[in-house]
Amino acid sequence: MVQLRPRPSRAPAPAEAMVDEGQAASEEAELGLRLGQPSSGAAAEPLEEDEDADGEWDDEAPDELTFANAQAEAREEERRVRESARRDKALLKERRKRREELFIEQKKRKLLPDAILEQLAAAPQATVKKLPGKQKEATLQKKKECEKGSDSKKVKVQKIQSVSQNKSYVALRLKDQELRDARQQAAKAFLQQALYGPGTKRTTVNKFLSLDNKRSPVKKAAAQFLNDTWGTQRKQNAKKFKRRWMIRKMKTSKK
Amino acid sequence: MGEFKVHRVRFFNYIPSGIRCVAYNNQSNRLAVSRTDGTVEIYNLSANYFQEKFFPGHESRSTEALCWAEGQRLFSAGLNGEIIEYDLQALNIKYATDAFGGPIWSLTANPSGTHLLVGCEDGSVKLFQLTPDKIQFERNFDRQKNRILSLSWHPSGTHVAAGSIDYINVFDVKSGSAIHKMKVDRQYMGMSKRQCIVWGVAFLSDGTVISTDSAGKVQFWDSATGTLVKSHLIANADVQSIAVADQEDSFVVGTAEGTVFHFQLVPVASGSTEKQWVRTKPFQHHTHDVRTVAHSPTALISGGTDTHLVIRPLMEKVEVKNYDAALRKITFPHRRLISCSKKRQLLLFQFAHHLELWRLGSTVATGKNGDTLPLSKNADHLLHLKTKGPENIICSCVSPCGGWIACSTASRFFLYRLSYERDNISLKRVSKMPAFLRSAVQILFSEDSAKLFVASSQGSLHVIQLLEGGFKHLHTFQPPSGTVEAMCLLAVSPDGNWLAASGTSAGVHVYSVKHLKLHCTVPAYNFPVSAIAIAPNTNNLVIAHSDQQVFEYSIPDKQYTEWSRTVQKQGFHYLWLQRDTPITHISFHPKRPMHILLHDTYMFCIIDKSLPLPNDKTLLYNPLPPTSESDVVRRRTAHAFKISKIYKPLLFMDLLDEGTLVAVERPLDDIIAQLPPPIKKKKFGT
């Protein structure tokens, strides 16, 4: 004989509250009703206690939640969430704006003052053409190369139509030239990639020329065994130091 | 002959640029070669493979394709998107048209020579029509997805095969639409992630399209059905070029490993009419990529990144089997890149974009024949002069006193004044050079460094007097008749009275500098001149031609000298005539008027006019016999040509003073050491 716990009888929920919460209540009511009937001959199933776990011994009726209330609550929730999201976004935007301004400020501080910039822009470019003088050091050459490169860029930018008699200038749209250069660079990059890029089986000239040396009956060293380019700066410094030391030695020995 | 101290110079860091395209012209038997720095050289294959003309390079012009069209017109196209036509008479660029398709990868001319097709980076194939003085854009073909890397016309001119990445398209010329799109396998019998680049295509008249690609395959396609017929795997690396003979019975392909393969159409069985393409001969004459090949009726021509131009005559096509059928490998330039100032022992080296001035070292030691003397003072790199602008230097010269340097590019002329105080030199540029000096083909200073002679590309010769602060234009010699057709060479007599200029088809002109008028003309010879020089005192003009003939012409008498007539009557030794490389410089001994000193790349020779001439039976190259031999034997075997092959490869050799010679060598290994990386060769055991 199945012993059932005495359960509080549940009145079926009023019809108005039937919409969503009511569904749950009606389900509970159904369950309660079902459980109220003794199961015919089957073993007793353990009772589920969760439905009325809290208000077990309370005789109170569950709180009546009207639909309107619940809807209002939900809307409040949504509004609150939206507000907080908007506030966050606004905060982030503020922060970003402040950082941008800071960067611009810093950049401005780095550049020369406006007055000098205007002067430079208006200055003639005739001073660009200067002959290279005695250039023995490699560093001097490199500097000249950079200058030459930047000079040519300057010339490109400032080519304008001039009415002077002896000289003739060509008007060039910078955008076209840049597009052309970009395409040419892309084509060259493709060729470089196709011929010398990864996946091609290339080797150094040294290894290539040394293959014969390695296969000969008397094994010889590689074709470019010595690396002359190693430590050029150190060797130059050493040479200069030696010269200076010799001169000093000769002076002191003379005295 | 005398004893000389020889300055052996190896610090000229000359690296030629790699060959990118060759184009063979059947009518005139000339070969146009374009290099990676934009230089285009024209070789006359019938004049002993001599470099006749050249167009200086330009930094922005990276040529990718070269072709001849009807009427001896030469076109090139490159990655800067322009089609350039070259003027072979005036030795400059006629015009450059932008094709508006981005960088251009391929250029080909109609078999009838009336139209040009251009394959561009954006996948479009553009058709241009040739008008008598320009080219006219006609229309675009269907635009493809990928860049068009190679083009080939069908011999009838109705269809075009275009190779791009992973696909080959066959276009119908009339409608411009792509009929077939043939997909190329990325790897022979396999899969690969790397795209297959179709480097070369060729269209045969029976509708077969031959393609070579980066997977190392040569494939035969049927253009009527758009299907693959046969596939050959010939290399582990890219097969980069293909050229078909005119009779379409053989073609040649070049691979990135440096091998050149010859394919021939041979009958399947002897006597059967059915033929098939068979790979017959491999040639390994290159170490680096063979970027371009050409097929002339009798020879296979190949060129690539290792800067050699190799011409291999095919034995079955050559009629007379003599020395002409030997392999020709052109590595070193056929003109002088070095000038020398004898008084101050300076050498001026000409590079593509800069000049270097070096002072030779000196030694105080003495030794006997064959010794290497230690230097007491090393050679000094005095000056590194960069020219402005993207153009290459055409020619340069240093004055004999060492006080002036002149060089010319296609658009500018530079003249510098050097002054020496103690050990320092200072340079000052002479500004405001006149416009007519631009694009000079040859520059020469007079012996006393007071006058400058400039041969311009239009054929006129300018005489400029050099003053302390500047210069004064004295005179211009106009070409008497005809136009400049070959490389112009200049020579001035040491006393400053005579100026010789070669370059017109009428022969070598001799001008009198004192009276500023034409003195005489040496009769024309059918081979181009490779070097000229005027002897001191006797004023004999010595001319060396590309077929190794040497003439001596007396300027005051206006006729060939006795010695020259004797030599011509007897003829040169056969070994002398079989030399590969042309004579590039002639000089004289100040105290010995009977000696002429000349050199080519692999030998230098002192011709002693007082000794008897060798005939074909005597030994041409007989170095100094050991002193144990009796005097009689030595006198009997001695002949006029004293040849020495100790210093090679020689770029320049000159007599500095009575007892000193300077020899500028450029070992081939030093050039190879600075080339781009080659394809790896796997050898067992390494």
Side-chain angles (χ1 to χ4, degrees):
Chain A
M1 180 71 182
V2 179
Q3 286 284 344
L4 292 172
R5 255 191 303 140
R7 308 184 117 267
S9 62
R10 288 254 187 102
E16 306 100 42
M18 201 65 90
V19 187
D20 355 44
E21 302 84 26
Q23 266 190 4
S26 60
E27 276 175 38
E28 278 181 39
E30 277 181 33
L31 272 169
L33 285 170
R34 259 188 270 127
L35 283 173
Q37 298 167 14
S39 49
S40 48
E45 280 129 334
L47 283 169
E48 296 177 34
E49 294 179 326
D50 42 354
E51 302 115 305
D52 37 8
D54 351 37
E56 225 182 328
W57 298 114
D58 272 351
D59 257 340
E60 292 174 8
D63 303 331
E64 271 194 29
L65 270 174
T66 57
F67 173 60
N69 281 357
Q71 209 174 33
E73 251 183 58
R75 276 206 207 98
E76 269 300 318
E77 276 289 334
E78 280 174 58
R79 199 176 55 83
R80 256 183 272 133
V81 167
R82 251 185 281 138
E83 283 298 312
S84 64
R86 204 188 304 149
R87 257 183 276 126
D88 283 337
K89 262 191 246 170
L91 266 171
L92 271 172
K93 195 172 175 182
E94 266 303 313
R95 203 190 286 170
R96 260 186 267 133
K97 211 196 270 183
R98 261 185 274 128
R99 289 183 100 202
E100 273 292 319
E101 282 170 10
L102 180 68
F103 287 152
I104 295 173
E105 203 47 59
Q106 283 180 338
K107 200 166 186 178
K108 247 193 179 152
R109 262 186 264 141
K110 254 177 105 178
L111 291 172
L112 300 163
D114 280 317
I116 301 183
L117 276 177
E118 276 171 25
Q119 240 181 5
L120 277 176
Q125 352 128 339
T127 53
V128 157
K129 318 279 183 239
K130 230 188 241 153
L131 259 195
K134 203 179 11 162
Q135 300 169 44
K136 288 192 195 173
E137 267 71 55
T139 47
L140 242 173
Q141 288 162 23
K142 280 202 197 111
K143 234 204 297 177
K144 281 279 183 271
E145 273 179 335
C146 301
E147 271 182 5
K148 192 170 79 116
S150 59
D151 286 351
S152 65
K153 275 212 193 97
K154 258 196 244 168
V155 170
K156 232 198 313 193
V157 167
Q158 288 165 349
K159 269 191 183 162
I160 44 171
Q161 204 82 38
S162 168
V163 205
S164 61
Q165 279 173 344
N166 315 357
K167 308 174 195 164
S168 64
Y169 289 92
V170 166
L172 270 183
R173 226 173 67 140
L174 237 205
K175 238 186 347 178
D176 289 341
Q177 193 61 33
E178 274 175 9
L179 180 67
R180 243 187 176 193
D181 285 342
R183 285 167 106 177
Q184 198 172 353
Q185 284 306 105
K188 284 194 182 141
F190 160 74
L191 199 58
Q192 184 71 15
Q193 184 83 344
L195 289 178
Y196 298 103
T200 52
K201 314 175 194 85
R202 298 269 169 186
T203 176
T204 61
V205 175
N206 186 16
K207 286 192 189 153
F208 186 78
L209 293 175
S210 312
L211 274 178
D212 292 322
N213 290 357
K214 286 188 179 182
R215 293 259 294 170
S216 63
V218 180
K219 309 280 182 246
K220 291 194 282 187
Q224 290 168 353
F225 189 64
L226 294 172
N227 187 0
D228 286 321
T229 56
W230 179 84
T232 37
Q233 191 58 40
R234 295 186 78 169
K235 283 187 192 156
Q236 267 180 358
N237 292 348
K239 214 164 78 169
K240 278 191 214 148
F241 176 77
K242 192 162 81 167
R243 245 185 73 207
R244 274 189 242 127
W245 187 86
M246 298 279 282
I247 292 173
R248 242 187 294 138
K249 202 79 196 316
M250 293 217 284
K251 275 202 202 137
T252 52
S253 67
K254 244 197 246 177
K255 282 194 199 153
Chain B
M1 281 303 101
E3 292 193 347
F4 297 103
K5 267 196 211 165
V6 181
H7 288 260
R8 264 185 110 153
V9 171
R10 285 191 177 189
F11 43 77
F12 180 24
N13 193 15
Y14 165 69
I15 305 173
S17 15
I19 296 179
R20 179 62 189 92
C21 327
V22 287
Y24 175 72
N25 186 326
N26 206 349
Q27 282 170 324
S28 54
N29 201 18
R30 278 177 168 76
L31 188 71
V33 171
S34 137
R35 294 189 182 246
T36 49
D37 64 350
T39 323
V40 174
E41 298 161 352
I42 313 270
Y43 288 84
N44 189 346
L45 298 186
S46 36
N48 205 18
Y49 307 93
F50 183 64
Q51 180 193 321
E52 267 191 335
K53 305 173 199 186
F54 77 103
F55 299 89
H58 198 275
E59 241 171 22
S60 67
R61 224 191 287 154
S62 46
T63 334
E64 286 289 320
L66 195 65
C67 82
W68 291 93
E70 54 114 17
Q72 303 290 308
R73 295 170 78 168
L74 183 62
F75 292 92
S76 85
L79 294 182
N80 60 356
E82 293 181 342
I83 305 174
I84 299 174
E85 178 168 2
Y86 295 90
D87 188 346
L88 293 167
Q89 305 301 111
L91 288 184
N92 59 8
I93 293 179
K94 252 194 205 162
Y95 55 84
T97 325
D98 200 328
F100 296 110
I104 300 177
W105 289 98
S106 50
L107 175 72
T108 180
N110 213 348
S112 52
T114 51
H115 285 81
L116 274 185
L117 261 187
V118 153
C120 306
E121 166 90 357
D122 59 358
S124 57
V125 178
K126 297 178 194 283
L127 185 67
F128 284 83
Q129 192 185 24
L130 291 181
T131 57
D133 53 341
K134 272 215 157 218
I135 56 174
Q136 182 85 16
F137 173 71
E138 216 176 276
R139 59 192 158 94
N140 270 342
F141 286 7
D142 277 357
R143 188 159 153 184
Q144 303 301 314
K145 232 188 343 173
N146 259 317
R147 38 178 74 95
I148 308 284
L149 288 162
S150 45
L151 286 172
S152 171
W153 285 82
H154 188 266
S156 67
T158 50
H159 291 80
V160 164
S164 83
I165 304 181
D166 281 337
Y167 284 96
I168 301 175
N169 295 294
V170 179
F171 291 94
D172 174 38
V173 173
K174 223 173 181 171
S175 64
S177 58
I179 308 179
H180 290 299
K181 192 167 170 168
M182 312 186 290
K183 187 165 183 326
V184 180
D185 309 325
R186 284 191 172 178
Q187 198 185 315
Y188 184 74
M189 313 272 242
M191 313 285 285
S192 169
K193 262 197 288 192
R194 293 190 74 224
Q195 285 175 326
C196 183
I197 302 170
V198 180
W199 290 113
V201 280
F203 216 138
L204 301 180
S205 46
D206 60 355
T208 321
V209 173
I210 313 172
S211 75
T212 65
D213 53 37
S214 61
K217 323 197 280 296
V218 170
Q219 292 180 308
F220 295 85
W221 307 82
D222 180 16
S223 67
T225 54
T227 53
L228 175 65
V229 172
K230 192 109 199 305
S231 187
H232 295 260
L233 179 70
I234 59 173
N236 281 333
D238 315 28
V239 181
Q240 289 179 337
S241 45
I242 179 169
V244 183
D246 286 331
Q247 289 100 334
E248 298 197 353
D249 57 355
S250 82
F251 68 87
V252 60
V253 293
T255 67
E257 292 164 339
T259 329
V260 170
F261 289 100
H262 186 202
F263 280 75
Q264 281 176 295
L265 196 60
V266 290
V268 172
S270 68
S272 98
T273 48
E274 194 189 323
K275 293 198 170 169
Q276 65 173 4
W277 286 102
V278 172
R279 175 171 62 124
T280 49
K281 306 186 210 35
F283 297 107
Q284 182 83 34
H285 297 303
H286 296 271
T287 52
H288 288 65
D289 308 19
V290 177
R291 304 287 310 271
T292 177
V293 282
H295 200 308
S296 81
T298 55
L300 303 179
I301 302 159
S302 58
T305 323
D306 63 350
T307 75
H308 303 305
L309 179 67
V310 171
I311 301 163
R312 181 89 192 80
L314 294 168
M315 296 310 284
E316 63 257 21
K317 302 270 174 66
V318 169
E319 277 128 33
V320 185
K321 307 249 192 306
N322 58 5
Y323 194 72
D324 284 339
L327 174 80
R328 301 301 288 257
K329 209 169 185 182
I330 302 175
T331 316
F332 293 100
H334 286 178
R335 56 194 191 102
R336 249 190 332 153
L337 294 176
I338 302 166
S339 39
C340 170
S341 154
K342 298 185 187 178
K343 213 171 88 174
R344 285 193 192 265
Q345 309 219 325
L346 300 173
L347 286 177
L348 182 73
F349 297 142
Q350 178 188 325
F351 291 87
H353 291 285
H354 68 271
L355 299 172
E356 283 185 8
L357 189 67
W358 288 74
R359 174 165 42 216
L360 293 172
S362 55
T363 178
V364 292
T366 50
K368 47 188 212 309
N369 188 20
D371 278 353
T372 310
L373 304 171
L375 284 178
S376 58
K377 186 161 164 254
N378 276 338
D380 212 358
H381 184 178
L382 292 179
L383 199 61
H384 182 111
L385 206 56
K386 266 187 185 294
T387 52
K388 295 194 182 73
E391 291 158 343
N392 287 15
I393 299 178
I394 305 177
C395 55
S396 63
C397 193
V398 66
S399 66
C401 69
W404 298 87
I405 290 182
C407 78
S408 160
T409 66
S411 60
R412 306 180 68 173
F413 188 90
F414 299 92
L415 182 63
Y416 298 94
R417 180 89 175 104
L418 295 169
S419 35
Y420 302 82
E421 326 77 50
R422 304 270 221 103
D423 257 344
N424 303 340
I425 71 166
S426 64
L427 190 73
K428 186 166 148 336
R429 167 140 177 244
V430 175
S431 52
K432 301 220 187 334
M433 300 304 299
F436 57 78
L437 284 182
R438 296 179 328 183
S439 169
V441 176
Q442 186 74 303
I443 302 176
L444 190 66
F445 285 91
S446 61
E447 283 297 308
D448 53 0
S449 306
K451 291 208 188 73
L452 171 65
F453 305 102
V454 176
S456 82
S457 52
Q458 276 80 31
S460 44
L461 202 55
H462 305 282
V463 181
I464 312 266
Q465 184 171 18
L466 298 170
L467 310 163
E468 196 41 62
F471 63 92
K472 193 174 81 152
H473 174 219
L474 276 186
H475 188 75
T476 301
F477 293 109
Q478 293 299 336
S481 65
T483 49
V484 172
E485 274 176 10
M487 285 267 294
C488 194
L489 294 165
L490 291 178
V492 69
S493 65
D495 55 6
N497 289 337
W498 310 106
L499 174 68
S502 79
T504 64
S505 52
V508 178
H509 295 289
V510 181
Y511 298 92
S512 161
V513 177
K514 234 187 331 193
H515 305 294
L516 292 177
K517 66 179 182 64
L518 177 69
H519 178 75
C520 60
T521 306
V522 180
Y525 186 62
N526 48 355
F527 284 89
V529 175
S530 65
I532 50 175
I534 303 185
N537 301 334
T538 52
N539 279 332
N540 287 339
L541 173 65
V542 179
I543 313 170
H545 290 270
S546 69
D547 63 341
Q548 320 294 6
Q549 294 284 341
V550 178
F551 294 100
E552 198 189 14
Y553 187 86
S554 165
I555 298 179
D557 302 335
K558 292 194 195 175
Q559 60 177 357
Y560 289 106
T561 58
E562 272 308 309
W563 181 82
S564 186
R565 288 176 209 270
T566 328
V567 168
Q568 287 305 309
K569 224 184 306 189
Q570 187 172 344
F572 282 92
H573 195 278
Y574 74 100
L575 285 178
W576 177 270
L577 295 175
Q578 279 177 3
R579 281 180 305 116
D580 274 357
T581 47
I583 295 171
T584 47
H585 186 57
I586 304 173
S587 60
F588 303 93
H589 198 286
K591 293 284 169 58
R592 297 180 202 161
M594 299 304 272
H595 286 188
I596 306 175
L597 192 131
L598 28 86
H599 81 91
D600 74 359
T601 314
Y602 294 106
M603 67 105 199
F604 83 92
C605 170
I606 299 183
I607 300 181
D608 191 343
K609 289 187 279 181
S610 55
L611 290 177
L613 295 167
N615 52 12
D616 273 357
K617 291 199 204 60
T618 52
L619 200 62
L620 180 68
Y621 173 52
N622 54 345
L624 200 65
T627 44
S628 59
E629 295 249 355
S630 67
D631 240 343
V632 177
V633 176
R634 227 196 287 178
R635 254 182 280 135
R636 215 184 295 148
T637 55
H639 57 75
F641 289 78
K642 310 284 183 194
I643 298 179
S644 165
K645 295 193 184 175
I646 310 175
Y647 311 110
K648 55 181 177 179
L650 268 182
L651 284 179
F652 178 71
M653 178 133 219
D654 203 356
L655 198 74
L656 282 181
D657 55 41
E658 288 176 36
T660 331
L661 286 173
V662 61
V664 180
E665 293 171 299
R666 184 64 180 151
L668 206 55
D669 289 338
D670 291 355
I671 298 181
I672 296 179
Q674 301 188 40
L675 291 178
I679 292 278
K680 186 175 199 164
K681 239 199 308 205
K682 186 77 187 76
K683 278 226 153 89
F684 178 75
T686 55

